[in-house]
Amino acid sequence: MGLEAPVMEQDPLLAQHGVAHGFTGRQGGVSQGVFASLNLGLHVGDDPERVRENRRRALMAAGVDPGRLTLGEQVHGTGLRWVGAGEAGAGAWAQAGALPATDGLLTRERGVVLGVLVADCIPLLLADPEAGLVAAVHAGWRGTAGRIGAQAVEALVAAGAQPSRILAAMGPSIGPCCYEVSPDLAGRFTRLFGREVLRVQGGRPHLDLRLANRLTLLEAGLDPGHISWHPPCTACHTARYFSHRAQGGRAGRQAGLIWLPR
Ligand SMILES: [Zn+2]
């Protein structure tokens, strides 16, 4: 324990365009048990000192200042917030500091590391490298139903981004293979996005949350080739990733991180 470095996974599309980002997994931290080992969530019942050490390790592995990690409260809503110099580092060391009622963060400020914490929900990263704008979005089923991805695109466009240039990457999240949902929720998503977002396996509906987000982003004007949406399934790979569903609701959190280098 402790010698292994955190893994900072790269999305091929964002990497190809030189966008600074990373997705963490379970490896390389100091937490134990269900939180082993790189739990980055301060709100899940883990020892806060270990979580802060994990955050230091993860951000150092990414080559950025851990004190510049900026987080939203993440309330499964669609609240977006622009992060300026004044908000940089909000929530980095204490959950109470996270930006309230915020599920999506956007910035044009260099050196601010936007983060979303997840364990099955989609960490969605957006960037218009030419405009110098990035965003990190937490898209669970509620945010997805509220089209938070499209709302983030609209906010970026209002700030000077062009939809045709925006790159989107979905990080490790629960896949349709493992995301069984109630008939009620299945019906709701069918009405919102069409039947293609559902898969029936063993007579039970499974939701393809990534596809729903992809459809939302296409509607918002993104180029189909600018959406990276086949990340690993968190519930299929519980040695590599935290999974709320596969771990019975008691799990740590991994992060999607994006920033504009100084
Ligand atoms: Zn799966």
Side-chain angles (χ1 to χ4, degrees), residues 78-89:
T78 55
L80 302 176
R81 177 107 166 212
W82 282 95
V83 177
E87 290 84 30

Side-chain angles (χ1 to χ4, degrees), residues 174-179 233-237:
I174 195 164
C177 40
C178 297
Y179 194 27
C233 169
T234 43
C236 281
H237 302 285

Side-chain angles (χ1 to χ4, degrees), residues 10 18 53-54 78 85 99 155 158 164 172 192 194 203 216 219 238-239 241 244 251:
Q10 296 288 294
E53 174 60 19
N54 291 339
T78 55
L99 299 170
S164 62
L192 285 169
T216 296
E219 254 177 40
T238 51
Y241 306 108
H244 188 266

Side-chain angles (χ1 to χ4, degrees), residues 195-230:
R195 276 210 65 82
E196 60 179 317
V197 299
L198 287 184
R199 275 199 209 167
V200 179
Q201 293 173 159
R204 297 166 183 275
H206 288 61
L207 178 58
D208 190 339
L209 211 51
R210 287 101 169 252
L211 179 55
N213 277 279
R214 176 178 162 82
L215 294 171
T216 296
L217 294 169
L218 290 173
E219 254 177 40
L222 265 65
D223 181 318
H226 285 175
I227 305 171
S228 185
W229 66 295
H230 287 297

Side-chain angles (χ1 to χ4, degrees), residues 29-256:
V30 297
S31 290
Q32 316 228 329
V34 294
F35 304 117
S37 64
L38 193 71
N39 168 41
L40 300 178
L42 275 169
H43 60 297
V44 292
D46 193 3
D47 172 355
E49 274 316 314
R50 290 185 193 268
V51 177
R52 285 189 273 268
E53 174 60 19
N54 291 339
R55 289 183 177 185
R56 275 189 281 274
R57 289 179 177 221
L59 280 278
M60 296 293 278
V64 291
D65 176 356
R68 305 284 283 179
L69 173 65
T70 310
L71 298 167
E73 187 188 1
Q74 294 189 196
V75 293
H76 292 278
T78 55
L80 302 176
R81 177 107 166 212
W82 282 95
V83 177
E87 290 84 30
W93 306 124
Q95 178 66 17
L99 299 170
T102 300
D103 281 82
L105 302 163
L106 312 93
T107 197
R108 60 167 76 255
E109 192 80 19
R110 297 200 161 271
V112 174
V113 182
L114 304 182
V116 284
L117 299 177
V118 291
D120 287 342
C121 291
I122 301 175
L124 169 65
L125 305 181
L126 301 166
D128 181 339
E130 249 181 85
L133 298 166
V134 293
V137 174
H138 166 236
W141 74 258
R142 287 185 185 83
T144 300
R147 292 188 154 81
I148 190 172
Q151 294 192 40
V153 167
E154 284 163 22
L156 291 172
V157 169
Q162 282 185 18
S164 62
R165 282 195 313 237
I166 294 177
L167 307 167
M170 299 179 208
S173 47
I174 195 164
C177 40
C178 297
Y179 194 27
E180 184 182 331
V181 295
S182 69
D184 270 6
L185 193 58
R188 187 163 163 188
F189 268 82
T190 302
R191 287 189 294 279
L192 285 169
F193 298 100
R195 276 210 65 82
E196 60 179 317
V197 299
L198 287 184
R199 275 199 209 167
V200 179
Q201 293 173 159
R204 297 166 183 275
H206 288 61
L207 178 58
D208 190 339
L209 211 51
R210 287 101 169 252
L211 179 55
N213 277 279
R214 176 178 162 82
L215 294 171
T216 296
L217 294 169
L218 290 173
E219 254 177 40
L222 265 65
D223 181 318
H226 285 175
I227 305 171
S228 185
W229 66 295
H230 287 297
C233 169
T234 43
C236 281
H237 302 285
T238 51
R240 279 167 70 193
Y241 306 108
F242 296 109
S243 170
H244 188 266
R245 176 69 65 104
Q247 295 185 259
R250 227 172 119 66
R253 295 291 182 274
Q254 54 242 349

